[in-house]
Amino acid sequence: MKTVLHKADSRGLADHGWLRSYHTFSFANYYNPERMHFGTLRVLNDDEVAAGRGFGRHPHENMEIISIPLSGDLQHEDSMGNVAVIRQGDIQAMSAGTGITHSEMNASKQDPVSFLQIWVFPKTKNITPNYSQITLEESSLQNQLYQIVSPFAEDEGVQINQDAWFHLGELTTGKKIDYNLKKKGNGVYVFLLEGSLTIGDQELSRRDGMGVWDTDSLHITATNDAKVLLMEIPMERTQA
């Protein structure tokens, strides 16, 4: 098993006043040649947007974009005609494909909104753009890893154009759980949202990230109540 550890305080920070964004990987004005991506995982941004502010209409193409609200309400509009407010417990995915434009704004005039913005390189380029969104039952996360992203429309979670599976879990102190990778050649990027846990003998604290590859499984133990996101993704880009 090979690993790479990204401590929370090693991330890039962009503070624009209305936006505070921590970048695990190189993004915008943050550039670190050793932090370009992990396999096909290109962007992991931990964003907080001030009340009434947000990202105006802007374009994307040939990228899988997943948004996971952590608190507050995020107003979404796009060129596919989708208009939605996504909240804590919602998962949203877009396959940008041949090209889309969209905006993401804080729906509240009083409170900030925080969310994860995740980009994954697609499996196939220039597909027809696609949008999907789900709402999770809070109980579905308790002491298990619940699937929130999949390559298959009939599976649990939102669908993306990549052989990638994301799982989210809320683990109580002392809970032990194994994650078995679904596809040979994939790796897993673990991002700890809250609490603390160990993967093997490596301790992770709040907002730490750890990439793991060349293994078939992970052994996870919550050392304090923990909320964790696991992103299984291909380690090689093989775009068609």
Side-chain angles (χ1 to χ4, degrees):
M1 183 172 76
K2 297 177 182 175
T3 65
V4 62
L5 179 65
H6 298 143
K7 297 297 289 182
D9 60 6
S10 73
R11 298 177 296 171
L13 172 62
D15 190 345
H16 302 287
W18 66 272
L19 167 68
R20 283 177 60 86
S21 181
Y22 287 92
H23 307 318
T24 295
F25 304 106
S26 294
F27 187 85
N29 293 330
Y30 169 63
Y31 175 74
N32 181 338
E34 296 181 354
R35 295 275 197 96
M36 297 306 297
H37 58 93
F38 176 77
T40 53
L41 176 60
R42 173 61 189 90
V43 168
L44 174 54
N45 287 352
D46 185 0
D47 292 346
E48 182 176 285
V49 178
R53 303 296 298 273
F55 304 93
R57 185 76 69 144
H58 59 282
H60 293 281
E61 63 180 30
N62 290 319
M63 192 65 73
E64 304 302 299
I65 302 167
I66 301 99
S67 297
I68 303 177
L70 303 177
S71 66
D73 300 336
L74 193 65
Q75 175 75 41
H76 168 90
E77 297 184 16
D78 65 46
S79 55
M80 292 178 280
N82 298 295
V83 178
V85 175
I86 56 174
R87 301 179 169 88
Q88 182 179 359
D90 294 340
I91 311 293
Q92 178 204 75
M94 293 187 298
S95 295
T98 53
I100 59 167
T101 61
H102 77 130
S103 62
E104 304 281 357
M105 307 295 293
N106 188 341
S108 172
K109 302 300 182 185
Q110 292 83 35
D111 302 313
V113 60
S114 62
F115 68 104
L116 299 182
Q117 178 184 173
I118 301 166
W119 296 5
V120 176
F121 291 118
K123 182 177 181 179
T124 305
K125 297 180 86 170
N126 298 321
I127 68 167
T128 300
N130 184 54
Y131 177 95
S132 57
Q133 180 179 334
I134 59 169
T135 298
L136 304 176
E137 293 288 339
E138 187 174 350
S139 61
S140 65
L141 305 181
Q142 293 177 2
N143 278 329
Q144 64 175 329
L145 298 173
Y146 186 80
Q147 184 172 287
I148 61 170
V149 172
S150 163
F152 306 115
E154 64 273 16
D155 269 7
E156 290 175 331
V158 291
Q159 181 185 16
I160 67 170
N161 169 32
Q162 186 52 276
D163 293 329
W165 292 264
F166 290 13
H167 290 75
L168 195 61
E170 296 180 352
L171 311 179
T172 56
T173 303
K175 176 67 177 178
K176 298 178 185 292
I177 196 164
D178 290 342
Y179 177 78
N180 298 311
L181 278 72
K182 296 181 178 295
K183 185 174 180 181
K184 188 174 180 61
N186 277 5
V188 178
Y189 195 86
V190 180
F191 188 64
L192 185 57
L193 292 164
E194 302 292 343
S196 63
L197 55 75
T198 59
I199 298 175
D201 58 2
Q202 178 63 60
E203 179 90 15
L204 298 186
S205 300
R206 183 180 186 273
R207 289 324 204 250
D208 289 348
M210 181 177 176
V212 182
W213 68 106
D214 285 357
T215 187
D216 297 325
S217 63
L218 304 183
H219 308 290
I220 301 166
T221 301
T223 50
N224 280 297
D225 289 355
K227 185 171 185 178
V228 62
L229 173 65
L230 268 65
M231 295 168 277
E232 178 183 338
I233 46 84
M235 294 304 292
E236 301 290 339
R237 292 173 62 185
T238 55
Q239 291 181 334

